[in-house]
Amino acid sequence: IGLRGGAGGGSRGHNCVRNVTFRRAIMHHTFKGIYVKSQHSDDPEATAELTNIVYEDIDMDAPTQVPIWIGPAQEADSSKACSLVWPEVPFSKCPPPP
């Protein structure tokens, strides 16, 4: 999938990802290059955060889907997630965050 980071769905315990560095990576024909994902939660009091995620000295050649994805998770097991094949496959869905 690529260099991936993200928070699971928010929770009342506050899910977080902090201080992650991806450095000196070479990616040839990766599916996604950089993948920063969020995940939907139906709990109005749930919280999550992504803080201080650093990408440094990244070399990417011909990713097969997108070079950079920052947004909703694209996984079949995630609630209200984007289809992993969106936007390439007609009629695949990627619902906006609430």
Side-chain angles (χ1 to χ4, degrees):
I1 294 272
L3 302 176
R4 165 182 148 162
S11 73
R12 291 181 185 210
H14 187 72
N15 288 337
C16 68
V17 175
R18 291 187 187 132
N19 304 322
V20 176
T21 299
F22 296 95
R23 183 177 291 129
R24 292 186 296 275
I26 298 172
M27 296 181 289
H28 181 67
H29 289 279
T30 183
F31 185 64
K32 285 184 174 73
I34 293 172
Y35 180 27
V36 179
K37 63 182 183 168
S38 59
Q39 197 167 13
H40 174 76
S41 172
D42 289 323
D43 184 345
E45 296 188 28
T47 61
E49 72 175 283
L50 297 169
T51 306
N52 196 28
I53 311 299
V54 177
Y55 294 88
E56 181 179 291
D57 194 19
I58 308 300
D59 185 3
M60 188 183 325
D61 176 44
T64 58
Q65 191 183 50
V66 293
I68 299 173
W69 174 274
I70 300 173
Q74 286 188 290
E75 300 168 355
D77 62 346
S78 298
S79 173
K80 300 181 183 176
C82 289
S83 166
L84 191 59
V85 296
W86 182 87
E88 281 80 25
V89 175
F91 307 107
S92 58
K93 296 181 180 180
C94 185

